[in-house]
Amino acid sequence: MTELDYILHSFDEHFAAYRNSRIALYPGEYLDEIIRNFDHEYRFCSILPADCTEVPEGIDAVILTDHRIGKEPDYNRICTSCREKQIPLLDLFGLDQIELHNELHGQRHLPIDQWKELLGRYDVISLFIPNVVADYDQQKECWVLRRRFPVIFEWLKSHGKTVVVFWEHAEQLVPLKTAGYAERADIRERTGEDLGFLALAEKYAGKRIIHVGVGTVRDGIVPREYGIHSRVNRYFTNRITVSGDSRGYQADRQELITLINRHDVISFDIFDTLLKRTVLHPKDVFALVEKRTGIAGFAESRYSIQTGDPHLSFAEIYDCLKKECGYDDGTLAVLQETELQTEREVIRPRHSLTELFAYAVQAGKTAVLVSDMYLDEAFIRSLLDRNGIRGYSALYVSCEYGMLKQEGLFDVLKQYSDAGCSILHIGDDRDADCASAEACGLDAAFVPSCLEMARLNGYAAVLDSCSTPAERSLLGLGTAAAFDDPFRTDPDLCIAAMIVFPLVTGYLQWACRQMAGHGYDRFLLSSRDGKLLLDAYNRMRFLYPEQLPEGTYFYTNRHAAFVTVMDDRKLTSGLFSPAMFRDDPEEMMRQVFSLSSDRVIPYGNETPEEYIHKHSKAIHEAAETFRNCYREYLRREGLETGRFAIMDFVSSGSSQRLLEHCVMEPMDGLYVGIPEYISASADNIRYYLDQDLMNYDTEMKLEVYFTSLEPALDHIGPGGVPVFAPEVRSPEMLNRIRHIHDLVQECLNQYLGHLCDPKDEISRELVLRLCGLVNQYSVENCYYDDMTGRRIHTES
């Protein structure tokens, strides 16, 4: 079937809804064919002039009669008129061009889990090679697979999907053939007016098909003309919003104080109200006990017994464990003591609520504590005292009374109401605390737990995806730190505890595994991103049985490395664009090439490259000086020789490659994330987040919070002393970064103190999902390129 045959065959199907409408035809290649075949049925009301810029009044729809809108010279003007008058502008395939353009231009970057969700709805997935399957590597002068393609491809094949790959030039197929993907996909050349989509639709008739490419018309619109859905793979992203279940709930502290003032007796729930655990769920304590004792199956048995009968005391639970699991007395004693010790370690005061408790005591109120809990009263009292909660008049624990709050435990407070006292209960459970208290005639106030606060503030989906005790411990600690206060949400606390802390922890554990047993002499944590990680790494490395190298804070960045080799233009081409300095080429020589003003030649009418060439002698002499300074710095730090691994946050490895060229021996890069536009890394560079799942805007925001408080390095000066560029961040931003770093270090100290285990592995997918949530917080745009000194603009 030819394309014209297809258009004529499907015209009625596409335009039946407009049969009795006033349709105007816009002239094009198929105008005569459309009139000859369909005017007797549709009675088109007018044919617009070819230079028409305004749609006449009384028109219900306009149909373009060229088979490709790209050939319509006045399309934009007609489109504007139709948009203003809200008139459909239809092509010969029945597509409303205005709606379609709005949809395609509204499509944004998707992380890999959302790509899987989208593509999983289709039977056939069609991919256009450039910028979807592969990229052209300018340095290697060849096509290389994008890092996400193998992940998506294998996932699609494992789910029984048919993968179609479109190519335009034969060299685009080379990496697919080399990697063995070409034999497992339907390979098709993009050719003809229909770009191959008509044949695709015919071959897979009856199947659900989606095409992914980068062009609005060729990849977005043309497939739609043949009933194929399409998705435009864009690099730019909108903000990642808070998850749909977020209501941003916050309790009202002043309202609670008012309620306390109005009552004589104030009853507080204990766990998740006055006290919090630094694990995600109470049952995670049992998993920690199993890990520490090495007694397999304990956690499941312990949890099953407790949930089977919530009235049991701690001693009764262990009697059941002895009977069901056959533990001897020695094993039972070890398990009991380990559980109690673990509870002591993970229990912390919830400061916002303990302050409220202290207020009630100081105000002369009778403070009592009521808890549904299997732990005995004596142990709970020791926990309360350990966490500074004193001055309460009575403690009522469900296992001591044989009934839960919902079964009448609040009746023990009737002695106060009988004495004419008014009673207020404060707790975190709407049913057990609030409804049960009110059923017993008490007033009640709800305050969400740390976990509930996290769920209500955008973290529900990621918390639900935690699949291992290690992940629940990590996010339990983060949740306890970030959402201690139900009366206010501190963005810096959230960023530090829920995003940066998990990212640092996951990366460092990965880096330790990468280096273990491989004989590295030093782990170089690059300025300025490595400062935050230095102390944590040097503590963490001693937890691993294999010898790991000492961590060293290492001064480097692209500009400091560039000036050591800037006399080699072939090596440094692509690191910056001379065109950026077209209005002030002399500034380029001072900023990028670090030449003193007296060595900068006045600019004539040369091209930027010619102007750079005029400075060849000065550039070479300066580069030699910078090389010698850098070598002096390396001698001073004991880095002249040895086997090194180097850390950077998000990098293609340009700084590392430049240093290796003339001042350092080859190193192994262990980077946190890969830049979005990099298709493949060098053989000696590995990435923790090794797929391009984060967009550029997200990477830049995260780097702000990794960056140390010192200004950016400009170069290494005489004597091997670092020379810094002027500080460009505001005092307010620096204070915010300092605050976040302090909070991250506090979380790391707690994690390394009692939760970190070398055998733990945090899911990188979990870390990536957390990283994406940084976009829901406002970040000052303080991104500067160290090469050019120019502000980098990203999406807000």
Side-chain angles (χ1 to χ4, degrees):
M1 179 183 292
T2 67
E3 186 169 61
L4 177 58
D5 291 337
Y6 178 84
I7 290 171
L8 298 178
H9 176 76
S10 58
F11 191 89
D12 267 332
E13 177 186 342
H14 294 150
F15 297 103
Y18 294 92
R19 190 179 292 273
N20 297 315
S21 303
R22 292 176 55 80
I23 300 174
L25 299 179
Y26 185 86
E29 181 176 349
Y30 291 154
L31 175 64
D32 293 341
E33 293 285 352
I34 298 302
I35 292 175
R36 181 166 52 253
N37 283 277
F38 301 105
D39 188 48
H40 64 285
E41 296 179 45
Y42 287 83
R43 300 191 179 280
F44 304 116
C45 69
S46 67
I47 300 173
L48 302 179
D51 58 353
C52 178
T53 61
E54 187 74 19
V55 178
E57 297 297 328
I59 298 297
D60 298 317
V62 175
I63 297 179
L64 303 166
T65 60
D66 210 318
H67 64 308
R68 214 48 91 228
I69 62 170
K71 295 185 178 181
E72 299 292 343
D74 296 307
Y75 165 75
N76 287 333
R77 286 177 289 181
I78 285 294
C79 184
T80 300
S81 179
C82 287
R83 181 182 290 112
E84 290 174 349
K85 296 184 176 182
Q86 298 184 334
I87 297 172
L89 180 64
L90 308 167
D91 67 9
L92 287 174
F93 302 86
L95 300 176
D96 187 329
Q97 295 299 302
I98 296 173
E99 288 186 2
L100 187 53
H101 271 76
N102 289 341
E103 178 198 338
L104 293 171
H105 284 285
Q107 291 178 349
R108 293 299 193 181
H109 174 95
L110 295 179
I112 203 165
D113 57 340
Q114 293 180 25
W115 273 116
K116 290 178 179 178
E117 180 182 353
L118 171 65
L119 300 181
R121 304 170 193 161
Y122 296 88
D123 306 306
V124 180
I125 291 80
S126 166
L127 308 171
F128 183 47
I129 289 181
N131 303 119
V132 177
V133 174
D135 295 318
Y136 187 76
D137 190 310
Q138 296 285 350
Q139 289 186 336
K140 297 181 180 179
E141 297 183 343
C142 66
W143 286 86
V144 293
L145 291 179
R146 287 183 63 81
R147 297 179 67 84
R148 89 168 34 180
F149 171 71
V151 178
I152 289 288
F153 184 89
E154 296 298 344
W155 186 87
L156 291 172
K157 299 300 287 187
S158 70
H159 285 72
K161 309 297 182 181
T162 298
V163 179
V164 177
V165 177
F166 275 100
W167 60 276
E168 280 187 321
H169 307 290
E171 60 266 26
Q172 295 171 351
L173 290 172
V174 173
L176 281 89
K177 292 179 178 178
T178 302
Y181 294 112
E183 296 80 10
R184 302 168 61 196
D186 181 353
I187 305 296
R188 292 171 172 263
E189 183 179 5
R190 172 176 274 189
T191 183
E193 292 285 357
D194 62 20
L195 304 179
F197 290 115
L198 178 55
L200 180 69
E202 289 178 339
K203 178 173 180 179
Y204 297 105
K207 301 284 188 180
R208 293 166 298 176
I209 312 172
I210 185 172
H211 175 74
V212 181
V214 293
T216 299
V217 175
R218 292 162 67 82
D219 294 299
I221 293 176
V222 178
R224 301 286 183 98
E225 296 172 341
Y226 302 99
I228 297 169
H229 196 70
S230 62
R231 176 84 195 192
V232 177
N233 184 34
R234 301 195 184 279
Y235 293 114
F236 307 103
T237 179
N238 57 354
R239 292 163 64 92
I240 299 174
T241 58
V242 178
S243 58
D245 61 348
S246 172
R247 291 171 283 156
Y249 178 89
Q250 289 182 342
D252 190 314
R253 187 176 190 275
Q254 189 55 50
E255 182 179 343
L256 279 176
I257 290 175
T258 300
L259 287 171
I260 289 171
N261 291 337
R262 291 176 179 171
H263 291 78
D264 306 306
V265 178
I266 313 300
S267 166
F268 287 87
D269 173 53
I270 299 175
F271 295 93
D272 295 325
T273 302
L274 292 177
L275 297 177
K276 62 187 179 185
R277 290 183 173 95
T278 57
V279 290
L280 204 56
H281 304 292
K283 65 181 180 181
D284 294 329
V285 171
F286 312 148
L288 286 173
V289 173
E290 180 174 319
K291 177 185 287 190
R292 293 176 176 186
T293 61
I295 299 175
F298 167 78
E300 183 178 348
S301 298
R302 170 71 179 79
Y303 182 66
S304 175
I305 290 172
Q306 178 188 314
T307 53
D309 187 350
H311 302 89
L312 296 176
S313 68
F314 186 71
E316 290 169 336
I317 289 171
Y318 272 84
D319 285 342
C320 293
L321 277 170
K322 183 177 182 179
K323 294 175 184 176
E324 292 189 15
C325 301
Y327 297 140
D328 58 40
D329 291 341
T331 300
L332 212 64
V334 169
L335 287 168
Q336 284 180 301
E337 181 51 39
T338 303
E339 180 174 339
L340 294 177
Q341 181 56 35
T342 303
E343 288 281 16
R344 294 186 192 99
E345 290 177 3
V346 302
I347 289 290
R348 298 282 188 277
R350 195 170 183 201
H351 299 289
S352 52
L353 270 300
T354 56
E355 289 171 2
L356 210 61
F357 171 84
Y359 172 84
V361 172
Q362 291 167 5
K365 307 297 181 181
T366 299
V368 299
L369 308 178
V370 182
S371 179
D372 284 342
M373 178 48 63
Y374 49 82
L375 295 169
D376 61 54
E377 181 179 333
F379 183 75
I380 293 176
R381 286 185 183 277
S382 71
L383 288 177
L384 293 167
D385 186 67
R386 181 188 181 97
N387 288 279
I389 300 172
R390 306 178 185 94
Y392 51 90
S393 299
L395 169 61
Y396 303 102
V397 184
S398 63
C399 68
E400 305 279 354
Y401 287 83
M403 57 182 173
L404 304 172
K405 294 172 184 174
Q406 292 175 304
E407 297 170 341
L409 181 59
F410 283 116
D411 286 340
V412 298
L413 301 183
K414 282 187 176 180
Q415 57 181 304
Y416 299 104
S417 57
D418 291 344
C421 297
S422 58
I423 308 170
L424 170 69
H425 178 72
I426 300 172
D428 70 286
D429 191 304
R430 294 183 187 274
D431 295 324
D433 286 306
C434 298
S436 299
E438 290 169 352
C440 289
L442 284 61
D443 290 330
F446 169 74
V447 287
S449 65
C450 298
L451 179 59
E452 183 68 8
M453 282 291 290
R455 297 182 67 85
L456 292 170
N457 282 278
Y459 291 90
V462 74
L463 291 172
D464 290 342
S465 71
C466 291
S467 59
T468 67
E471 293 172 2
R472 291 193 295 273
S473 294
L474 185 78
L475 284 191
L477 180 56
T479 298
F483 299 105
D484 174 272
D485 192 343
F487 309 118
R488 59 184 286 268
T489 301
D490 183 341
D492 290 349
L493 261 174
C494 296
I495 291 167
M498 298 299 290
I499 299 172
V500 180
F501 161 60
L503 178 55
V504 169
T505 303
Y507 167 76
L508 285 179
Q509 289 182 329
W510 171 82
C512 287
R513 288 192 293 272
Q514 295 295 309
M515 291 184 287
H518 290 287
Y520 289 100
D521 298 302
R522 209 83 71 89
F523 183 31
L524 307 181
L525 295 118
S526 298
S527 61
R528 296 178 282 173
D529 305 330
K531 193 84 167 181
L532 180 63
L533 284 65
L534 182 62
D535 291 339
Y537 167 73
N538 279 329
R539 285 183 61 186
M540 187 181 290
R541 70 189 182 98
F542 288 112
L543 300 176
Y544 286 76
E546 303 91 345
Q547 184 175 358
L548 289 172
E550 176 187 353
T552 297
Y553 188 57
F554 179 63
Y555 280 104
T556 191
N557 64 6
R558 279 195 310 151
H559 187 259
F562 166 82
V563 294
T564 68
V565 293
M566 61 184 178
D567 48 350
D568 187 338
R569 289 295 291 149
K570 183 177 180 180
L571 178 67
T572 59
S573 63
L575 288 178
F576 77 100
S577 172
M580 294 180 65
F581 293 90
R582 64 170 61 92
D583 296 328
D584 192 355
E586 295 177 20
E587 174 63 17
M588 172 177 65
M589 305 314 300
R590 292 187 293 267
Q591 168 65 41
V592 178
F593 291 89
S594 291
L595 297 184
S596 58
S597 295
D598 62 316
R599 304 209 69 179
V600 176
I601 301 170
Y603 179 65
N605 293 318
E606 309 94 335
T607 66
E609 285 298 334
E610 289 171 342
Y611 185 61
I612 292 171
H613 183 70
K614 287 175 64 174
H615 293 81
S616 295
K617 184 175 184 295
I619 290 172
H620 174 72
E621 292 172 354
E624 188 61 36
T625 299
F626 287 127
R627 284 193 282 270
N628 290 331
C629 291
Y630 220 117
R631 291 177 183 129
E632 180 62 27
Y633 167 70
L634 297 174
R635 282 193 293 273
R636 197 183 68 191
E637 296 294 323
L639 301 173
E640 295 174 274
T641 61
R643 187 174 185 213
F644 307 131
I646 186 169
M647 168 269 169
D648 205 346
F649 183 64
V650 174
S651 173
S652 63
S654 55
S655 300
Q656 179 181 334
R657 288 192 294 270
L658 297 178
L659 291 176
E660 291 170 341
H661 185 71
C662 65
V663 298
M664 296 191 74
E665 297 180 6
M667 299 177 282
D668 288 334
L670 299 177
Y671 298 168
V672 177
I674 188 167
E676 185 175 4
Y677 300 104
I678 298 300
S679 298
S681 63
D683 293 338
N684 62 335
I685 295 177
R686 283 160 279 167
Y687 292 91
Y688 170 54
L689 305 179
D690 59 355
Q691 299 154 10
D692 58 334
L693 308 186
M694 282 197 297
N695 59 75
Y696 183 65
D697 193 36
T698 303
E699 292 166 353
M700 295 301 293
K701 288 178 179 177
L702 286 169
E703 191 157 14
V704 167
Y705 296 121
F706 262 72
T707 303
S708 71
L709 295 172
E710 63 190 359
L713 178 69
D714 186 78
H715 62 274
I716 302 295
V721 176
V723 177
F724 300 98
E727 180 59 76
V728 296
R729 294 167 293 181
S730 67
E732 294 76 16
M733 189 63 188
L734 290 172
N735 285 334
R736 186 176 186 187
I737 292 171
R738 181 182 292 107
H739 181 45
I740 287 173
H741 283 200
D742 288 344
L743 294 167
V744 172
Q745 294 296 352
E746 185 177 332
C747 288
L748 286 168
N749 288 337
Q750 292 187 56
Y751 183 77
L752 292 169
H754 67 273
L755 290 174
C756 183
D757 186 327
K759 295 187 292 292
D760 287 345
E761 185 166 357
I762 308 302
S763 162
R764 283 183 275 188
E765 286 71 23
L766 176 71
V767 172
L768 279 164
R769 295 185 71 178
L770 289 167
C771 288
L773 292 173
V774 75
N775 291 289
Q776 65 182 323
Y777 302 105
S778 62
V779 181
E780 179 183 330
N781 186 349
C782 59
Y783 323 127
Y784 282 81
D785 177 51
D786 57 50
M787 284 292 296
T788 64
R790 303 291 179 88
R791 182 186 288 267
I792 299 171
H793 294 282
T794 65
E795 294 192 8
S796 61

